[in-house]
Amino acid sequence: MLTRKTILILMVSTLVLTGCRSSKPVTPSFFLVEYPSDPPPTDTVKVLPYVLELAEVNVNPAYASPQIAVREGEQELQYFVNNQWAVRPAQSFAGFIEQYFADNRVFTQTQTRFWNLQPDYRLQTIVHNLEILRDRRDFYARLHLEFRLETADGELIERYVKDNRRLLESRDLNLFTVAVNNILFEELNYFTGKIYFGLSPAE
C-alpha cells in the first residue's frame, strides 16, 4: 500500500516530467554582417590605374567563432548561447569588403587573389574587437578595426586604426548588427578615400 508521502513524490515527479516534455526547445537566432542594399555615394571620381588584392581578413581569435561576444568587464567576455553570427566574421567581413570594391570601382581590378597577375597593392584588414560592450546600464556596439595598404612586397603605404563604439538604445542584437554594418561601411569608405587621394596620379 502506497503511503501518503510516496503518493506525493509520484505526483511531483509526474508534474516535472510533463513540464519537461511540453517545454519547447529554444530556437537559435542568426545575425548577418552584410553590405547595405542602398549605400551612400563615395567620393571617388575616376578609376585608379592599379590592381588591388584583398587579403584574408584577420579576426582576433576571441571573436572569430560564430558566437557573439559581450564584454561585461575589463577582462571578461561572455557569449550568447542561442544567438550567433550566420557567417563567421572573417568570411562576412571579407564578403562585405569585396562587395564594396565591386560597387565602387576604385581600382582597375580588385580581387581576393590573382593567379596570373601581380597586384600593385594589397589591402590587409584586421578585426581587433567585435563585441557588445556593457558600461553600467549602457550598451555599445564596439568594432575595433585596422586597415593596412601595402605594396605587393609588403611595404606599408597607409595604415588606419579606429576603435569605434556606438551607443545602442537597448541590448538588442538587431541594433548591434545594424551598428556594426554601419561602422564597417563608414570606416572602409573613409580609408578608401584616404588611399584614393593619396594614390591619385598628379595631373
Side-chain angles (χ1 to χ4, degrees):
M1 183 176 179
L2 296 176
T3 65
R4 184 175 180 181
K5 183 178 180 180
T6 304
I7 294 172
L8 182 60
I9 292 173
L10 288 173
M11 290 176 62
V12 171
S13 300
T14 302
L15 288 172
V16 169
L17 290 172
T18 303
C20 290
R21 285 196 299 268
S22 62
S23 62
K24 295 182 180 179
V26 178
T27 303
S29 297
F30 297 93
F31 298 84
L32 282 170
V33 173
E34 58 183 350
Y35 192 75
S37 57
D38 187 22
T42 62
D43 295 330
T44 56
V45 178
K46 57 184 179 181
V47 179
L48 295 174
Y50 305 114
V51 175
L52 177 69
E53 180 182 17
L54 302 176
E56 291 184 4
V57 176
N58 185 350
V59 180
N60 181 330
Y63 309 98
S65 75
Q67 293 179 296
I68 298 176
V70 183
R71 184 175 292 274
E72 296 283 354
E74 191 66 27
Q75 301 295 328
E76 180 185 355
L77 279 181
Q78 296 184 11
Y79 297 91
F80 286 98
V81 176
N82 296 304
N83 299 284
Q84 300 183 11
W85 296 117
V87 181
R88 288 177 181 267
Q91 285 72 46
S92 61
F93 275 60
F96 190 110
I97 295 168
E98 189 173 2
Q99 187 62 51
Y100 175 90
F101 285 102
D103 282 7
N104 303 282
R105 195 161 175 256
V106 181
F107 296 88
T108 302
Q109 289 191 56
T110 304
Q111 293 183 28
T112 54
R113 60 178 59 88
F114 293 92
W115 301 109
N116 300 313
L117 182 64
Q118 177 73 15
D120 298 295
Y121 298 99
R122 180 178 293 108
L123 177 62
Q124 302 275 0
T125 304
I126 303 168
V127 179
H128 296 289
N129 297 84
L130 172 61
E131 62 196 14
I132 293 179
L133 175 64
R134 181 177 181 178
D135 184 7
R136 297 180 182 178
R137 295 185 179 181
D138 293 326
F139 295 94
Y140 296 83
R142 184 187 182 192
L143 179 56
H144 183 186
L145 277 172
E146 179 178 350
F147 294 117
R148 298 171 62 93
L149 182 71
E150 303 172 353
T151 66
D153 297 327
E155 179 186 352
L156 181 62
I157 302 298
E158 186 76 47
R159 178 174 179 261
Y160 176 68
V161 182
K162 186 65 179 293
D163 189 351
N164 207 318
R165 306 177 186 200
R166 192 154 297 180
L167 180 65
L168 304 175
E169 293 181 4
S170 63
R171 184 174 167 173
D172 185 317
L173 287 175
N174 286 298
L175 296 177
F176 169 65
T177 306
V178 170
V180 168
N181 289 332
N182 290 340
I183 292 170
L184 178 55
F185 181 88
E186 292 164 11
E187 300 302 347
L188 179 60
N189 195 44
Y190 176 78
F191 180 72
T192 302
K194 283 173 66 74
I195 63 177
Y196 176 82
F197 290 107
L199 297 176
S200 292
E203 297 184 1

